[in-house]
């Protein structure tokens, strides 16, 4: 696999595609209301566990799920922008990807804070794994950027 800045199948292209699909699929998932989708599980978890634990109304579950879904879709669109820039070899591709990664880590940190607040420890493993994966993505892109220079 070629790694030059002009390569259509560069490390940045592949990683941006991965995170684009990750966020877009997770974001759209929040808008589906079927038992097989995580988005429904997210909303049910809010209604049955998290919101009652804080003494909050379960009617907040749907608006929270929508807000989380919108944020995930926006992050997906940022990675799509990075993907398009990597595919085209445009300047600023690494900056776009770094910004998307930074915002993704921040979002997972906020989700982790929510999990701690709600007393849910299981999501912490998932969030920590994704933060570590994002940091590895950042490192891979840093190395790729140096080799492109």
């Amino acid at each position: 696999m070629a790694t030059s800045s002009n390569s259509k199948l560069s490390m940045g292209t592949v990683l941006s595609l991965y995170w684009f699909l990750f966020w877009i699929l997770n974001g759209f998932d929040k808008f589906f209301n079927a038992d097989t989708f995580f988005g429904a599980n997210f909303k049910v978890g809010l209604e049955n566990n998290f919101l009652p634990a804080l003494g909050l109304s379960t009617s907040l579950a749907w608006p929270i799920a929508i807000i989380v879904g919108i944020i995930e879709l926006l992050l997906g669109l940022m990675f799509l922008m990075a993907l398009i820039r990597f595919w085209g070899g445009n300047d600023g591709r690494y900056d776009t990807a770094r910004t998307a990664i930074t915002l993704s880590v921040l979002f997972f940190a906020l989700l982790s804070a929510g999990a701690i607040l709600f007393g849910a420890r299981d999501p912490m493993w998932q969030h920590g794994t994704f933060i570590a994966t994002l940091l590895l993505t950042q490192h891979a892109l840093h190395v790729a950027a140096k080799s492109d220079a």
Side-chain angles (χ1 to χ4, degrees):
M1 175 183 344
T3 58
S4 73
S5 62
N6 296 325
S7 173
K8 300 272 189 215
L9 194 57
S10 68
M11 180 65 69
T13 301
V14 172
L15 291 171
S16 295
L17 175 63
Y18 170 81
W19 287 109
F20 161 69
L21 291 172
F22 176 88
W23 285 122
I24 288 295
L25 293 173
N26 272 297
F28 279 130
D29 192 49
K30 301 299 183 291
F31 296 95
F32 293 108
N33 194 14
D35 293 335
T36 58
F37 290 104
F38 179 73
N41 292 339
F42 180 79
K43 182 177 169 275
V44 169
L46 286 171
E47 290 172 337
N48 294 338
N49 300 319
F50 305 134
L51 294 173
L54 294 176
L56 297 173
S57 170
T58 58
S59 65
L60 294 173
W62 184 243
I64 290 172
I66 294 297
I67 290 168
V68 168
I70 289 170
I71 292 170
E72 291 172 341
L73 290 173
L74 291 173
L75 289 169
L77 291 176
M78 289 186 71
F79 278 104
L80 176 61
M81 188 183 324
L83 173 63
I84 291 167
R85 288 183 174 179
F86 276 110
W87 186 261
N90 298 351
D91 291 337
R93 61 194 175 275
Y94 289 104
D95 292 334
T96 303
R98 277 193 286 272
T99 300
I101 290 167
T102 300
L103 291 173
S104 294
V105 169
L106 177 61
F107 184 61
F108 275 122
L110 291 173
L111 289 175
S112 296
I116 292 168
L117 182 66
F118 291 131
R121 298 297 186 242
D122 289 343
M124 294 299 294
W125 283 105
Q126 293 172 349
H127 301 156
T129 299
F130 287 125
I131 288 172
T133 306
L134 283 159
L135 294 176
L136 287 172
T137 300
Q138 175 66 14
H139 178 69
L141 291 178
H142 177 74
V143 170
K146 283 189 169 209
S147 72
D148 280 352

